[in-house]
Amino acid sequence: MALLDRAIVRLLPAVPKPVVRRISERYIAGEELVDACRTVKRANETGKLATIDVLGEEITRPDEARAIACEYEDVFTTIERQGLDSNVSVKLTGLGLKLGHEPCRENLELVVRRAAESANFVRIDMEDSSCTNDTLRLYRDVRAGGRENVGVVLQAALRRTVGDVEALSDLQPNVRLCKGIYVEPPGVAFQGFDEVRENYVRALDRLLGAGCYVGIATHDEWLVREALRLLKRHGRDREEYEFQMLLGVRESMGDALVRRGHRLRIYVPYGRQWYAYSMRRLQENPKIAGYIASDTVSRFLPGRNGRSS
Ligand SMILES: Cc1cc2nc3c(=O)[nH]c(=O)nc-3n(C[C@H](O)[C@H](O)[C@H](O)COP(=O)(O)OP(=O)(O)OC[C@H]3O[C@@H](n4cnc5c(N)ncnc54)[C@H](O)[C@@H]3O)c2cc1C
């Protein structure tokens, strides 16, 4: 399967852009904020929350990072004006992480401050392992500045994650827990599917035990069942956690969680950089290409509906 996934990724540059656009439509709200708002409104109408992500490509200049921070200011203004139930997710490389700690901290603080003015919340996405220390340090800096309306992401694939849960415990962090999308070396990350699942359960157990609000971000049915079991064991009320899923992925599973009264937040990315973003994500993790290919094929097979997978 891994071979097939890699073959799909190698073929990608030859796929005409309009075809990639058609396929990515399902996972990316569109190019403009108005597209994201339309998607969020639809999610809200079906009882789901959202988190909006402004897609940014590799930032090479401080003014590009500042422009992304300013775009988030527009996002909050629009969320407020339209009465949408959505927070935002930011990638620190988009806010200048690779340009230095200070410029990135300034941009992050700008976004978090603007969020606070709207009583809203900022989730800091986690990127590849070269960013983990800097991301956690910036999270700590912002919290030290008195901001509570900010949360971070931890990746179950990383060997360090349970240690990070413990190291952050003094902050009682609001954490999105995911498997981790980046392909990492064996010294840094568990390579086995089951090992990652086990570490996810371990980290979730610790987070719940520490009284943290957790965004349980997964489409893995087995993990959702384990999470429900842990939530019950820790006696968690419905407003003390949420499930999170990516736009367009396993929607019927999300609908079932909502019907059972759980909070579900949908990750809604938008931006003019959708093509570069999609290509980069697929090249970084060929497994995703495999998921999308099988989902796309299944939608065209009689009697199957990819949206219900
Ligand atoms: C809300 C949210 C936010 C995330 N934020 C981050 C982050 O900040 N940093 C980070 O490293 N990773 C992030 N991820 C990605 C995450 O780490 C995983 O790579 C991804 O969710 C797949 O893992 P899984 O738990 O769904 O399990 P898997 O076993 O990988 O997937 C279960 C099934 O879900 C479907 N599926 C999963 N992902 C996709 C996809 N992309 N496209 C189509 N079908 C798919 C497939 O049918 C698959 O069989 C996020 C995920 C979610 C849901």
Side-chain angles (χ1 to χ4, degrees), residues 158-171:
L158 297 195
R159 295 181 187 276
R160 60 179 284 169
T161 287
V162 171
D164 285 334
V165 170
E166 270 151 29
L168 289 168
S169 63
D170 58 308
L171 297 175

Side-chain angles (χ1 to χ4, degrees), residues 25-52:
E25 259 166 17
R26 184 176 161 82
Y27 308 102
I28 294 173
E31 294 196 358
E32 307 296 337
L33 177 55
V34 61
D35 301 317
C37 290
R38 202 179 306 116
T39 303
V40 171
K41 191 161 180 282
R42 264 200 311 271
N44 289 170
E45 282 165 1
T46 54
K48 296 167 190 157
L49 314 165
T51 185
I52 297 179

